[in-house]
Amino acid sequence: MQPFTTHTGIIATLDRSNIDTDAIIPKQFLKSIKRTGYGPSLFFDWRYLPDGQPDPAFELHQPHFTGRSILVTRNNFGCGSSREHAVWALLQDGFRVVVAPWKETGGQHLPAFADIFRNNSVKNGLLAVELSEPEVEAIFQHVATHPGAQMAVDLTRQQVTLPADPTLTFAFEIDPGAKEQLLKGLDEISLTLQYEAQITRFEQKHLTGTR
């Protein structure tokens, strides 16, 4: 897994809430036994016309989003099923960061991302950044008036900045364990292998019956 420390890239905005994993990568693409090749099928039902041609009306097809690597969207991104393919599709289509807002409704704090999607992101090196609704709205407004705008993301400092307007700098929270895993580029197997020597000693003691 590629470590994540800092990243600067073009922002693409997708002004939709409650984007579920079936919208991110539809179920017909889950038949493959491989972990590659999902990028072109990202947002398939929105991205293509019935004849298979790109839909020019789809937001991410705007020319100023060419080369984008940061997705800014609305609340409850990645809800629905637990398919890890959703994260694979985002990464394989060039995204390194997804930014979404948390929301207060009826006194309840609603997270920006579904829990399983957030966990799958960490396991694969995709950074999910949760900001407040006003902060995300400020990013949407900036991109609307600055086509091709970029964002600088610093995981160590837990901060995002829009270089064209340094006043638009926002801090974000992240679980310390998830942060370390991303910074070091450790997937679940790599995390386990950090303790290979201890595991080997335990297995030897277990087999020999020693303590």
Side-chain angles (χ1 to χ4, degrees):
M1 188 173 90
Q2 183 180 357
F4 190 110
T5 52
T6 62
H7 177 77
T8 299
I10 295 172
I11 304 165
T13 52
L14 189 55
D15 195 2
R16 308 189 190 203
S17 300
N18 305 308
I19 297 176
D20 63 28
T21 51
D22 195 53
I24 298 171
I25 184 73
K27 59 184 178 300
Q28 64 265 33
F29 299 105
L30 308 187
K31 298 175 184 177
S32 173
I33 60 173
K34 299 179 181 179
R35 293 183 57 166
T36 58
Y38 296 99
S41 302
L42 178 70
F43 302 125
F44 184 86
D45 292 338
W46 300 339
R47 188 172 184 168
Y48 300 104
L49 297 168
D51 64 1
Q53 295 300 308
D55 185 348
F58 180 47
E59 296 97 308
L60 298 190
H61 285 158
Q62 296 182 54
H64 56 270
F65 289 159
T66 301
R68 75 288 182 278
S69 60
I70 298 173
L71 180 65
V72 178
T73 185
R74 298 297 187 179
N75 179 254
N76 199 29
F77 186 83
C79 56
S81 75
S82 61
R83 65 192 69 169
E84 197 169 358
H85 306 67
V87 174
W88 299 345
L90 285 159
L91 286 167
Q92 291 165 24
D93 201 53
F95 288 107
R96 293 298 317 279
V97 182
V98 181
V99 179
W102 56 267
K103 189 174 184 177
E104 289 286 349
T105 301
Q108 289 187 319
H109 178 95
L110 303 179
F113 301 95
D115 284 343
I116 295 176
F117 176 85
R118 187 195 300 274
N119 292 335
N120 285 338
S121 296
V122 172
K123 288 189 272 185
N124 289 278
L126 177 71
L127 179 61
V129 173
E130 183 176 67
L131 299 176
S132 70
E133 280 195 293
E135 289 168 341
V136 170
E137 182 58 36
I139 296 171
F140 268 92
Q141 293 301 322
H142 179 83
V143 173
T145 56
H146 298 78
Q150 294 191 336
M151 177 184 290
V153 184
D154 188 327
L155 177 56
T156 302
R157 299 174 66 186
Q158 296 178 209
Q159 180 176 284
V160 301
T161 302
L162 278 66
D165 184 354
T167 64
L168 295 176
T169 297
F170 308 117
F172 62 90
E173 298 296 322
I174 185 170
D175 175 80
K179 179 178 179 179
E180 180 181 11
Q181 195 171 338
L182 286 163
L183 286 170
K184 293 181 177 179
L186 299 173
D187 59 19
E188 290 182 316
I189 294 174
S190 300
L191 280 170
T192 302
L193 288 176
Q194 291 183 108
Y195 304 98
E196 184 176 10
Q198 294 94 318
I199 293 169
T200 299
R201 285 197 299 270
F202 174 83
E203 290 178 337
Q204 289 173 342
K205 289 179 180 179
H206 179 73
L207 289 172
T208 62
T210 60
R211 294 185 179 275

